Amino acid sequence: MATVRGSQEAKPLELEFGKTTVYERKNIRRIDEPDTDERRGFHGWEYDETQYTHAEWYKQDSIKNKLAIAELAELLAGGKANG
């Protein structure tokens, strides 16, 4: 995961599928830095981004779904999830 800055006008998508890459973004926040005498201020977005191939993303998503289903099943059965 890397912290990225982008100058998009609109808020970037949390999940974006490219031709070969899936971009997963979290903690998206607007940045508006003032200009200084030395440089122009940054105006855009900053976010944590992880890049996956399509195969990697589908594998990660499948694992997350299985864990969520198992946790939900435990809750419905009257148990306590996560301890």
Side-chain angles (χ1 to χ4, degrees), residues 29-44:
R29 56 211 167 271
R30 180 76 187 166
I31 303 291
D32 286 302
E33 296 176 343
D35 293 343
T36 66
D37 291 337
E38 294 82 31
R39 66 175 217 229
R40 186 171 180 207
F42 176 78
H43 302 281

Side-chain angles (χ1 to χ4, degrees), residues 9-69:
E9 288 188 27
K11 182 179 179 180
L13 297 172
E14 291 183 10
L15 190 62
E16 184 176 343
F17 288 82
K19 287 184 178 183
T20 60
T21 307
V22 177
Y23 301 91
E24 186 176 63
R25 301 179 182 109
K26 297 180 180 182
N27 303 317
I28 301 170
R29 56 211 167 271
R30 180 76 187 166
I31 303 291
D32 286 302
E33 296 176 343
D35 293 343
T36 66
D37 291 337
E38 294 82 31
R39 66 175 217 229
R40 186 171 180 207
F42 176 78
H43 302 281
W45 302 90
E46 185 174 88
Y47 43 88
D48 299 324
E49 182 178 83
T50 304
Q51 296 181 20
Y52 299 99
T53 65
H54 285 225
E56 290 170 334
W57 187 83
Y58 284 114
K59 182 178 179 181
Q60 288 292 329
D61 190 55
S62 177
I63 291 169
K64 289 177 190 176
N65 285 339
K66 288 176 184 174
L67 290 172
I69 290 168

